[in-house]
């Protein structure tokens, strides 16, 4: 109760909080409606166009066997993978940015998604079952986090050092992935190639089910730790005075974010931009962080990734492009703008 009381004192006035809750609820409803539209498009559009009713019947195994095959085996797993990965990346990015108090912190900048891709490719190289890809991706993500800690923690995780070390880790692991793909036998090279750019092509229900169940558990942990994250926002001294161990809480949140990002990468490969930009967009339109804005961030991540995948499949003139090409094209200028804003000196005389 003491923690809650102090948090209430630090928070905005009651009227402002009520207005924010209404705004977040309205934005969440809009995001759900947009996601429903995108899901419908994902199931109905393609080389074999289907009506919404036919796609729905095919999704539950009714109707023409050909329609059932198209919907159940090709379109639905890809669509579901995009939604799960988008939710995981959005919330992982939000957790990392709040833990580090750094707008540049994201799984792709810190090398976590590159590590997840490295783990998945190593698994493919051994010839093990692809159902273990989420486990391998998680191991690779934790390896990247360990490397980031070894090379970056010694001098303190400042904004510049975090970005430089994270980009170096990401580049090194990406180079290792490319090397393994080049050395792979021809029959494995195509399966591993998606881990160089990020793709949702060829997802199966086995992969989606394994990663989706683990993401659901990680999401429960993220929302269970939300209150600790709110206390950490008050500062380490205040958090310690309220009985919270800042180091332990920060480690729990970091592990949760790494798990979410790694499992998302197990479905998509190293997709950039989503985890970096979505938390910023949600803060801009929805206001200060709350449990509601965290959920909205997950919805926004799903919308962005699914929309990008539909753009790749149906609107771009070049067919077969991976979704990571679209998100990276959007992410490069976004990262540049953030770095310029971070390096801009603060004008204290204006106060």
């Amino acid at each position: 109760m003491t923690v809650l009381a102090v948090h209430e004192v630090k928070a905005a006035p009651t009227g402002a909080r009520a207005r924010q809750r209404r705004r977040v609820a309205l934005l969440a409803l809009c995001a759900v409606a947009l996601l429903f539209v995108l899901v419908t498009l994902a199931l109905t559009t393609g080389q074999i166009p289907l009506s919404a009713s036919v796609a729905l019947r095919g999704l539950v195994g009714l109707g023409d066997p050909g329609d059932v095959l198209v919907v159940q085996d090709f379109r639905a797993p890809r669509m579901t993978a995009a939604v799960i990965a988008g939710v995981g990346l959005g919330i992982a990015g939000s957790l990392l940015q709040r833990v580090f108090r750094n707008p540049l912190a994201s799984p792709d900048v810190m090398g976590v998604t590159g590590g997840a891709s490295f783990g998945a490719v190593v698994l493919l190289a051994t010839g093990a079952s692809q159902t273990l890809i989420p486990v391998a991706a998680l191991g690779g993500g934790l390896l990247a986090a360990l490397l980031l800690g070894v090379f970056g923690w010694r001098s303190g995780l400042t904004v510049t050092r975090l970005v430089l070390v994270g980009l170096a880790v990401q580049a090194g692991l990406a180079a290792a992935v490319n090397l393994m793909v080049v050395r792979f036998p021809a029959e494995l090279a195509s399966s591993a190639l998606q881990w160089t750019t990020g793709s949702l092509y060829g997802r199966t229900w086995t992969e989606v089910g394994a990663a989706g169940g683990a993401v659901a558990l990680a999401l429960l942990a993220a929302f269970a730790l939300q209150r600790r994250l709110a206390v950490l926002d008050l500062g380490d001294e205040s958090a310690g005075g309220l009985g919270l161990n800042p180091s332990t809480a920060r480690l729990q949140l970091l592990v949760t974010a790494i798990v979410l990002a790694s499992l998302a990468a197990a479905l998509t490969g190293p997709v950039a931009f989503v985890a970096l930009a979505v938390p910023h967009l949600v803060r801009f339109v929805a206001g200060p962080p709350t449990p509601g804005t965290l959920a909205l961030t997950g919805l926004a991540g799903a919308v962005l990734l699914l929309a990008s995948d539909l753009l790749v499949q149906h609107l771009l003139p070049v067919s077969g492009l991976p979704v990571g090409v679209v998100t990276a094209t959007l992410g490069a200028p976004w990262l540049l703008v953030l770095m310029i804003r971070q390096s801009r000196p603060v004008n204290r005389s204006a106060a």
Side-chain angles (χ1 to χ4, degrees):
M1 292 299 294
T2 304
V3 171
L4 288 175
V6 173
H7 181 57
E8 291 292 329
V9 171
K10 294 289 184 179
T14 304
R17 291 200 304 274
R19 287 193 296 272
Q20 185 190 18
R21 283 196 294 268
R22 289 194 294 269
R23 182 167 64 251
V24 170
L26 178 60
L27 290 169
L29 286 175
C30 292
V32 170
L34 181 55
L35 187 60
F36 177 78
V37 172
L38 293 173
V39 166
T40 302
L41 288 174
L43 295 177
T44 57
T45 56
Q47 293 184 349
I48 304 176
L50 302 174
S51 66
S53 60
V54 170
L56 180 60
R57 287 171 57 83
L59 187 62
V60 296
L62 301 176
D64 184 84
D67 295 338
V68 173
L69 176 68
V70 168
V71 174
Q72 286 193 349
D73 290 359
F74 297 102
R75 295 180 182 175
R78 181 167 183 160
M79 174 272 297
T80 307
V83 172
I84 292 173
V87 171
L89 288 172
I91 292 184
S94 179
L95 292 179
L96 289 175
Q97 288 173 15
R98 288 183 67 185
V99 167
F100 285 104
R101 300 175 189 174
N102 181 349
L104 294 172
S106 72
D108 38 303
V109 173
M110 295 173 62
V112 174
T113 53
S117 299
F118 175 78
V121 171
V122 169
L123 180 77
L124 291 175
T126 63
S129 172
Q130 293 194 16
T131 58
L132 297 176
I133 282 182
V135 177
L138 178 58
L142 293 174
L143 172 63
L146 178 62
L147 293 174
L148 181 67
V150 169
F151 293 112
W153 207 287
R154 195 175 300 173
S155 299
L157 290 177
T158 62
V159 173
T160 303
R161 188 171 182 84
L162 175 69
V163 173
L164 292 178
V165 174
L167 290 176
V169 170
Q170 183 85 352
L173 292 172
V177 169
N178 288 330
L179 178 62
M180 285 188 288
V181 170
V182 170
R183 299 292 299 272
F184 269 0
E187 62 270 15
L188 291 178
S190 59
S191 299
L193 190 59
Q194 65 168 306
W195 302 105
T196 64
T197 54
S199 175
L200 288 160
Y201 177 77
R203 297 280 68 82
T204 66
W205 283 120
T206 300
E207 297 167 333
V208 170
V215 167
L217 294 176
L219 289 175
L220 291 176
F223 282 97
L225 293 169
Q226 169 69 23
R227 185 174 298 177
R228 299 186 182 187
L229 186 56
V231 177
L232 283 177
D233 287 341
L234 304 177
D236 286 2
E237 291 186 5
S238 298
L242 295 169
L244 181 69
N245 186 323
S247 297
T248 301
R250 193 171 286 112
L251 179 61
Q252 292 171 337
L253 289 160
L254 284 175
V255 170
T256 302
I258 291 169
V259 169
L260 283 170
S262 300
L263 292 172
L267 290 173
T268 65
V271 171
F273 175 68
V274 177
L276 178 66
V278 166
H280 290 278
L281 296 174
V282 170
R283 280 195 296 271
F284 179 75
V285 299
T290 64
T293 60
L294 187 63
L296 180 60
T297 301
L299 286 172
V303 167
L304 178 59
L305 189 55
L306 183 54
S308 298
D309 190 48
L310 289 173
L311 177 66
V312 163
Q313 292 184 73
H314 307 302
L315 295 181
L316 292 184
V318 181
S319 61
L321 285 176
V323 68
V325 171
V326 173
T327 58
T329 302
L330 296 172
W334 186 273
L335 177 60
L336 181 60
V337 168
L338 286 178
M339 293 187 71
I340 292 174
R341 290 183 61 186
Q342 284 294 304
S343 62
R344 186 177 300 164
V346 179
N347 185 8
R348 300 186 183 276
S349 61

